[in-house]
Amino acid sequence: TTNQAVEETKGQVVRYQGQIVTTYYYSTSCGKTTNLEAWGTECNEQNAYLQSVEVKDSEGDYEQGLPWYRWEADIPVETLSNLIGINTGKDIGALQSLEVTKEGPGGVALQICAVGEKGQLTVETENKIRRALGGSGYEIQKRDGTNVASSSLLPSAFFTIQREGDIFFIKGGGYGHGIGMSQNGANEMAKKGKNYIDILTLFFQGITVE
């Protein structure tokens, strides 16, 4: 099937305003995508094909039945305090508060602020935020109820944070950076009869396939 897909689309390229573009992709969306602000890149006329779009039809989000569509982690204060110190190289002591201080299109976290007993720090851009809150020592529960061990990166930067007692509750959605095409979203669209032109023109706005 992959060979067939290559043969049938041989010689075709994705263009925006006449230029061949980079078609970024990732695993799973939370129902929305975001733009290059998530990487700290200024949005301009050249990259305007990368916009925040809703990955859904009249029946709802294409990926709403998938495990990574929603996830959550309940992390003890001590665990998260240690991880932030290790991951950022700055020991701010026991966490007193942690919040998303800036959001981008689609609800992606662009900036978080962590306040500890010894000081505070700010982390910006989706990858650095996911790294700051990642690491081993806690579990992530996926939408289907299965648990996986935490890894070096938080699944995505589409999340909210709340503290209750000595636990930080992080609730998020999607897996990956959220810019461009969701692979699982594309797969779900294909299952519903959408073709590659339908899929590409949803995730990459204003493009042509030539």
Side-chain angles (χ1 to χ4, degrees):
T1 55
T2 51
N3 288 352
Q4 182 185 351
V6 170
E7 285 299 320
E8 289 180 2
T9 58
K10 190 163 59 179
Q12 297 184 34
V13 292
V14 175
R15 292 184 186 271
Y16 180 70
Q17 296 183 343
Q19 300 298 310
I20 295 176
V21 294
T22 303
T23 48
Y24 298 105
Y25 61 90
Y26 58 97
S27 168
T28 309
S29 88
C30 64
K32 293 179 180 177
T33 71
T34 191
N35 62 21
L36 288 175
E37 273 185 83
W39 288 341
T41 302
E42 192 175 331
C43 295
N44 56 38
E45 287 184 16
Q46 284 74 45
N47 61 39
Y49 66 97
L50 295 166
Q51 297 178 21
S52 176
V53 299
E54 294 186 324
V55 190
K56 69 176 187 178
D57 62 12
S58 59
E59 295 175 6
D61 293 351
Y62 287 113
E63 293 152 282
Q64 60 188 337
L66 302 184
W68 281 116
Y69 172 71
R70 292 288 182 267
W71 51 265
E72 55 186 69
D74 306 341
I75 315 174
V77 169
E78 185 179 358
T79 302
L80 195 54
S81 301
N82 290 338
L83 287 173
I84 288 176
I86 293 166
N87 296 333
T88 64
K90 184 176 180 181
D91 179 16
I92 60 170
L95 273 177
Q96 294 171 332
S97 69
L98 176 66
E99 57 183 318
V100 176
T101 43
K102 187 179 180 185
E103 278 191 2
V108 70
L110 296 181
Q111 182 187 80
I112 59 170
C113 182
V115 178
E117 290 176 335
K118 301 178 185 176
Q120 67 179 62
L121 63 83
T122 299
V123 182
E124 297 182 326
T125 68
E126 66 87 24
N127 189 269
K128 289 178 181 174
I129 289 169
R130 290 167 65 198
R131 190 167 298 282
L133 304 179
S136 59
Y138 61 92
E139 287 197 328
I140 294 165
Q141 185 178 67
K142 295 187 277 186
R143 183 192 164 281
D144 62 356
T146 59
N147 290 319
V148 293
S150 55
S151 60
S152 59
L153 293 177
L154 205 61
S156 81
F158 296 83
F159 63 82
T160 60
I161 308 169
Q162 280 188 312
R163 179 176 181 169
E164 291 179 24
D166 287 337
I167 305 286
F168 280 100
F169 295 94
I170 300 181
K171 293 187 177 184
Y175 194 102
H177 51 69
I179 296 166
M181 185 183 76
S182 160
Q183 292 168 293
N184 277 309
N187 192 42
E188 294 302 311
M189 289 177 72
K191 287 178 186 176
K192 286 193 161 191
K194 303 292 185 184
N195 64 31
Y196 71 107
I197 303 293
D198 298 328
I199 293 166
L200 290 170
T201 51
L202 171 70
F203 290 108
F204 306 105
Q205 294 284 296
I207 57 99
T208 54
V209 181
E210 303 172 19

